[in-house]
Structure formats: structure tokens, C-alpha cells
Amino acid sequence: MKAVREMEENLSLVDAVVYVTDSRAINSSSNPVFNELVGNKPVLYIFNKCDLVDRNDLNRWINKFKSEGKEVIPLVGTSLKADVVINALKKACLNKIQKFENKGAKISIRAMVIGIPNTGKSTIINSLIGKGKAITGNRPGVTRSQVWYSINGVDLLDTPGTLWGKFTDQSTALHLAYIGSIKDDVLDKQELSKEFIKEAREKYPELIKARYKLDDIPSNMDEALEKIAKSRGFIVKGGEYDLERTASTILDDFRSGKLGKMMLEKA
Ligand SMILES: Nc1nc2c(ncn2[C@@H]2O[C@H](COP(=O)(O)OP(=O)(O)OP(=O)(O)O)[C@@H](O)[C@H]2O)c(=O)[nH]1
Ligand SMILES: [Mg+2]
């Protein structure tokens, strides 16, 4: 895969890696290929979109990573304090910085920002540099090629989000689809939204009921989808339910956080 090959080539140029995951699905948004590629470089893990999950749930993940000796920062990529990330990177590369300072030289450290599509890599870089230079968007595959950005003694390399070839289980694939890391045009939205409601019915029934004004969520997913369509008034000519629109709405509501704070994978 081209993106992975490019990443491999540039890894030799960088001092550290910023590994951006989605707080709603930390397991599924951790690409096993990255773990191998990264090797011995210092890694700064970012739990991004932390505004979309409950803080107590996230704290368990933070503690888990910390207990494994990993450096981790929870972030809201759209609004963040740049120095938190920059200082953490400088700390991770302190040895190198000091080595050069001892010789009277000042260096920029270099870090590569990696992650699966749509986790917020370019958004974080924009917040760090303080202007909207990198193109962002709530769909996968927005960044097409690697680009360097400089901020306060740190050079950051934005990379296109990459997914590995095969998913180990279906729930990983589904979670990646829900969080918008898999292109929607290869997915059956109605099927996907039914799978989503099935999972959310178990984990966050109150949020679903509140958003769609339901007394209960039918255990039959076809019925559940129709009930939501009815409640939202999504009806097409002839009185049929507009299930495609209903499905899109449900997925958009989850992706944008309108459904409330939902963590799909708990630590
Ligand atoms: N709610 C929320 N949305 C975020 C956050 N960070 C980024 N986003 C949104 O997530 C979407 C994806 O952001 P990008 O920065 O384009 O993601 P990317 O990782 O660069 O994606 P690719 O370039 O496709 O790999 C955008 O709509 C951002 O506004 C966050 O912390 N919270
Ligand atoms: Mg991007």
C-alpha cells in the first residue's frame, strides 16, 4: 500500500510519532500495522474527540495506557492547548534536544502524525499551528499526501489516514464504519444503521430513546428503524418510510455527537 510505504520511508526521518486514535473506539482505531512500523521511536498517543465520550470511561483507558508505560493525552482536536502536545513531544525527545544544546546548537524535532482515516490528525495540526492550513472533513481520505508543518521548534508531518487490509472481527469493521473511518459508499447504510442501533440499544438505550422520542426500542431492527423514521417524520410519497434518510440521520447523529457521549469500546 502506497500510504504505508511512504510512512515507512519517512519514519527514518522523524524523532517521534504522534498516534491519533478516536476515543469512541480506541481498540479499533489502533492499526496493528502501525505498532510494527513504529518500532522503537517514542510514541505520543492521542485519544482524540474526547468530547464525544464520558470522561470516567476515558480515564480507564488513560490509566490502562499509562500502566503500560505509554505516553497518552486526551484531546479535543478542534480546540486544544498547543503547548500540551508540543511539550509532551519535546519531553519525549529530550535526549536529542539536550545532545544538540550541549554542542551549542538548536534543533527542531520532527514528528510524524499517524492514525486511521478521520481520527482528526489534520484538525489537530491546524489547532497547533493556529490556522486552518491543512484540509479537514468528517469523512475518511481527506488528506491525500504527506505535508510538513512547523510550530515552535517542532516539525510535524501530516499523513493520509491508513487502514490495514483485514479486520480481525466484524465488530472492529462495524465500529470503524460508525466512526466514519470507512468510506460510506462501500457500505449499506441501512444495514449499518441497524447494526448500530442494535449495539446502542444494549449499551446506551436511554440516549437512543431520548434522541428519537421512543418509549422503547424494538428488538427487531427493521421495526426499530421504522419507528425512528416515523418519529422523525421521514416519510416519502405514498406514505412509505424513508429508511435511507433515517439510516443516514442515525449515523450522522452518532458521528457528530448529537446522540450524546457514547464509547463503543470500554477499557
Ligand atoms: N467532536 C470532535 N470532532 C473532531 C475532533 N477532532 C477532529 N474532529 C472532526 O473530525 C473530522 C475529521 O478530521 P480530520 O482532521 O480531517 O481527520 P484526519 O485524521 O486528518 O482524516 P484523514 O485525512 O481522512 O485521514 C472533522 O470533521 C473534524 O472537525 C474532536 O476532538 N472532537
Ligand atoms: Mg487529514
Side-chain angles (χ1 to χ4, degrees), residues 16-21 38 42-46 75 85 89 111-115 121 124 128 154 156-157 159:
V17 170
V18 179
Y19 191 155
V20 183
T21 60
V38 163
V43 179
L44 176 61
Y45 292 89
I46 307 261
L75 270 193
V85 178
L89 275 172
M112 181 187 253
V113 183
I114 65 170
K121 301 174 291 299
I124 292 170
L128 290 175
V154 177
L156 287 172
L157 184 60
T159 65

Side-chain angles (χ1 to χ4, degrees), residues 194-220:
K194 283 191 265 183
E195 292 289 348
F196 174 76
I197 293 292
K198 195 160 55 174
E199 186 168 344
R201 183 179 183 269
E202 275 170 31
K203 296 179 177 169
Y204 296 99
E206 297 312 320
L207 294 180
I208 299 291
K209 285 197 251 175
R211 175 80 192 159
Y212 302 118
K213 302 189 174 63
L214 310 176
D215 301 329
D216 69 296
I217 310 166
S219 56
N220 177 305

Side-chain angles (χ1 to χ4, degrees), residues 34-66:
F34 294 160
N35 299 342
E36 277 172 43
L37 281 178
V38 163
N40 295 324
K41 304 263 178 200
V43 179
L44 176 61
Y45 292 89
I46 307 261
F47 293 161
N48 197 35
K49 310 199 181 187
C50 76
D51 54 313
L52 301 178
V53 299
D54 176 75
R55 189 57 200 227
N56 290 326
D57 288 340
L58 193 63
N59 283 343
R60 278 190 276 279
W61 274 107
I62 295 171
N63 292 337
K64 181 172 189 281
F65 270 52
K66 286 198 169 153

Side-chain angles (χ1 to χ4, degrees), residues 2 5 47 51 55 57 61 84 105 121 158 165 190 203 227 237-238 259:
K2 183 166 156 267
R5 203 175 56 238
F47 293 161
D51 54 313
R55 189 57 200 227
D57 288 340
W61 274 107
V84 178
K121 301 174 291 299
D158 192 11
Q190 287 187 39
K203 296 179 177 169
K227 214 168 164 180
K237 266 188 224 139
L259 271 170

